[in-house]
Amino acid sequence: DADVTQTPRNRITKTGKRIMLECSQTKGHDRMYWYRQDPGLGLRLIYYSFDVKDINKGEISDGYSVSRQAQAKFSLSLESAIPNQTALYFCATSDFHTPKILDSSAFGTDTQYFGPGTRLTVL
Amino acid sequence: QKEVEQDPGPLSVPEGAIVSLNCTYSNSAFQYFMWYRQYSRKGPELLMYTYSSGNKEDGRFTAQVDKSSKYISLFIRDSQPSDSATYLCAGKIQGAQKLVFGQGTRLTINP
């Protein structure tokens, strides 16, 4: 079974509709992220959450909102979808550990594990 | 100017060739540098990471960071068709909350 799952995998909707994308993880990680990927622009961070009570805006949060319902679930909503929100959306998780030995080469690594993505088209 | 710049390609090489993928970055505070591989219709997966300057080798893959020129590279030796994917570089400040990704380079290895 996949560790990070996203639903739906594909969605076509119309301008003005409310859309929710869901992410679930079985990795037991505290940190969860939402990115969008556009051709020529790479991955851009929308929102991130370090625990259920911690929600933070990323670089492109306008037009989006999130909900962290539980440690394992992180949803992204588009309250009123517009065509330039057509993109590939990825959820990711990570589990940051302070190493037992403060080796600077290990401290700060924060490997992110990505879900399979949701392809959203807004007409 | 984007903090991490990457030539989007596409790059097409014959099987067995040595592949060089490159990124430049502008934020001198970056300490960690990652390479992610993304197959078509899949999410990115971490391939390698390096800390500060230097080289790191893992099998056929070598990651190289030159902080003096703000240049990061990924070399693939004996390239295989299964290496065909989009490769994304990313930088991170130690203790910071987010990765900053390049645009990704689409690579095709031709049998």
Side-chain angles (χ1 to χ4, degrees):
Chain A
D1 288 340
D3 293 319
V4 184
T5 57
Q6 292 183 236
T7 56
R9 293 295 312 278
N10 289 282
R11 182 73 183 269
I12 300 173
T13 191
K14 294 182 179 179
T15 296
K17 294 291 187 181
R18 184 178 188 275
I19 296 297
M20 179 180 286
L21 309 183
E22 299 188 350
C23 177
S24 295
Q25 53 113 345
T26 57
K27 299 185 79 66
H29 290 171
D30 289 327
R31 300 182 172 192
M32 298 187 74
Y33 309 79
W34 275 105
Y35 290 89
R36 65 177 280 176
Q37 187 175 38
D38 300 274
L41 295 177
L43 283 162
R44 293 182 292 167
L45 184 63
I46 306 172
Y47 271 96
Y48 61 99
S49 168
F50 283 178
D51 65 39
V52 174
K53 297 180 181 179
D54 177 72
I55 302 289
N56 303 279
K57 293 183 178 181
E59 60 183 298
I60 53 163
S61 59
D62 288 348
Y64 301 94
S65 63
V66 291
S67 174
R68 185 81 183 266
Q69 301 94 324
Q71 186 207 34
K73 295 184 183 296
F74 193 36
S75 302
L76 176 72
S77 294
L78 288 67
E79 296 301 326
S80 180
I82 56 177
N84 76 0
Q85 291 177 313
T86 293
L88 197 51
Y89 289 85
F90 287 101
C91 174
T93 74
S94 70
D95 189 19
F96 181 85
H97 284 297
T98 300
K100 294 177 181 177
I101 299 173
L102 290 179
D103 174 356
S104 60
S105 67
F107 189 82
T109 57
D110 190 13
T111 301
Q112 295 187 18
Y113 299 87
F114 286 81
T118 294
R119 185 170 295 278
L120 177 66
T121 302
V122 184
L123 302 176
Chain B
Q1 180 189 8
K2 285 178 67 68
E3 283 188 279
V4 180
E5 296 275 3
Q6 187 175 6
D7 185 341
L11 180 63
S12 181
V13 301
E15 182 176 356
I18 296 174
V19 177
S20 172
L21 303 169
N22 307 294
C23 294
T24 58
Y25 65 94
S26 58
N27 190 338
S28 58
F30 284 158
Q31 290 280 60
Y32 291 91
F33 303 92
M34 286 81 165
W35 283 97
Y36 279 78
R37 178 175 61 196
Q38 184 179 15
Y39 290 116
S40 181
R41 301 184 184 278
K42 301 284 188 181
E45 56 178 345
L46 182 67
L47 193 58
M48 297 181 71
Y49 80 88
T50 54
Y51 172 73
S52 194
S53 284
N55 292 356
K56 186 172 185 177
E57 189 173 320
D58 184 3
R60 296 184 295 109
F61 298 87
T62 300
Q64 191 172 79
V65 176
D66 182 348
K67 293 196 77 181
S68 63
S69 59
K70 297 189 177 67
Y71 202 79
I72 54 180
S73 302
L74 178 71
F75 299 97
I76 307 175
R77 292 184 300 279
D78 188 24
S79 56
Q80 305 293 312
S82 59
D83 296 327
S84 297
T86 295
Y87 289 80
L88 300 128
C89 60
K92 182 176 179 294
I93 298 170
Q94 183 168 336
Q97 318 305 338
K98 64 169 188 167
L99 299 176
V100 180
F101 285 89
Q103 301 94 315
T105 299
R106 186 173 175 184
L107 172 67
T108 301
I109 308 296
N110 300 303

